[in-house]
Amino acid sequence: MRRKDREVSDKEKIRRIISECYCCRLGFNDNGEIYIIPLNFGFDFKDERLTFYFHGAKEGRKIDLIKKTTSVGFELDTNYRLEKGNIACEYTAGFQSIIGTGEICLIEEKEEKKAALQAIMEHYTQKKDWKFSEQSLSSVAVFKLEVKKLSCKEHL
């Protein structure tokens, strides 16, 4: 990271920043064309391991890419605010952001699928103990991203 003065390395602070984000963008390399998709997410940050969870339709370009490649990039950001200046080059922005890479895969096992959906629901509602019907579980694709590299930055 070029601006070391803006780097965030404290794991608890990174967890708080992720908790404040509402969208995680996944980036795939699709035969030389970059494909970026914004997604709702849940996450688990245990023992220095960060895992993101997502859900979506069981077919389409995203699912085809997950089946074809395991390596993806990701980005999250929050707390953006424009800071005005007197001239163009004095304008700046406040923000917190996270970027990284990891390995993505579909989740097929029922209990792991439930836990992933639970994490997604908890992230947006702060409520635990959601119930998922068999029909809901079978009609949705659930996938996870195990983070391999992460960089967190803030300018507040």
Side-chain angles (χ1 to χ4, degrees):
M1 178 176 301
R2 184 181 64 82
R3 294 289 307 261
K4 292 290 185 188
D5 60 315
R6 295 183 181 171
E7 183 177 23
V8 177
S9 57
D10 178 73
K11 300 297 183 204
E12 190 51 42
K13 187 163 190 178
I14 291 170
R15 178 192 307 275
R16 284 193 310 269
I17 291 170
I18 294 170
S19 294
E20 292 179 15
C21 294
Y22 292 102
C23 175
C24 181
R25 293 164 191 85
L26 292 183
F28 294 86
N29 182 340
D30 188 4
N31 295 319
E33 180 180 76
I34 304 304
Y35 178 65
I36 299 171
I37 184 162
L39 295 164
N40 292 329
F41 71 96
F43 70 99
D44 185 29
F45 205 164
K46 282 187 193 164
D47 305 323
E48 304 291 317
R49 290 183 46 195
L50 175 59
T51 305
F52 288 105
Y53 299 102
F54 310 94
H55 74 292
K58 293 179 88 169
E59 57 185 36
R61 186 176 183 185
K62 171 182 64 218
I63 297 301
D64 293 344
L65 289 168
I66 291 170
K67 290 177 180 176
K68 189 165 88 170
T69 183
T70 60
S71 185
V72 297
F74 66 92
E75 185 275 344
L76 305 98
D77 59 82
T78 189
N79 294 317
Y80 179 87
R81 72 176 188 286
L82 181 65
E83 295 176 10
K84 297 179 181 180
N86 293 320
I87 60 173
C89 291
E90 288 179 355
Y91 273 69
T92 189
F95 64 89
Q96 292 173 307
S97 67
I98 298 172
I99 61 170
T101 58
E103 301 293 318
I104 196 161
C105 67
L106 290 166
I107 298 173
E108 302 294 345
E109 197 274 318
K110 187 167 122 176
E111 291 307 311
E112 187 179 6
K113 208 172 183 181
K114 282 182 186 179
L117 291 169
Q118 191 73 247
I120 294 167
M121 292 303 298
E122 185 177 343
H123 175 66
Y124 291 99
T125 69
Q126 287 70 56
K127 180 182 168 190
K128 296 182 181 189
D129 301 322
W130 290 93
K131 304 290 183 232
F132 303 99
S133 70
E134 291 297 322
Q135 181 180 351
S136 294
L137 289 172
S138 65
S139 67
V140 68
V142 179
F143 44 104
K144 67 181 175 182
L145 165 62
E146 293 180 339
V147 174
K148 301 297 180 197
K149 251 173 111 173
L150 175 141
S151 173
C152 184
K153 184 176 179 179
E154 72 178 355
H155 180 221
L156 298 175

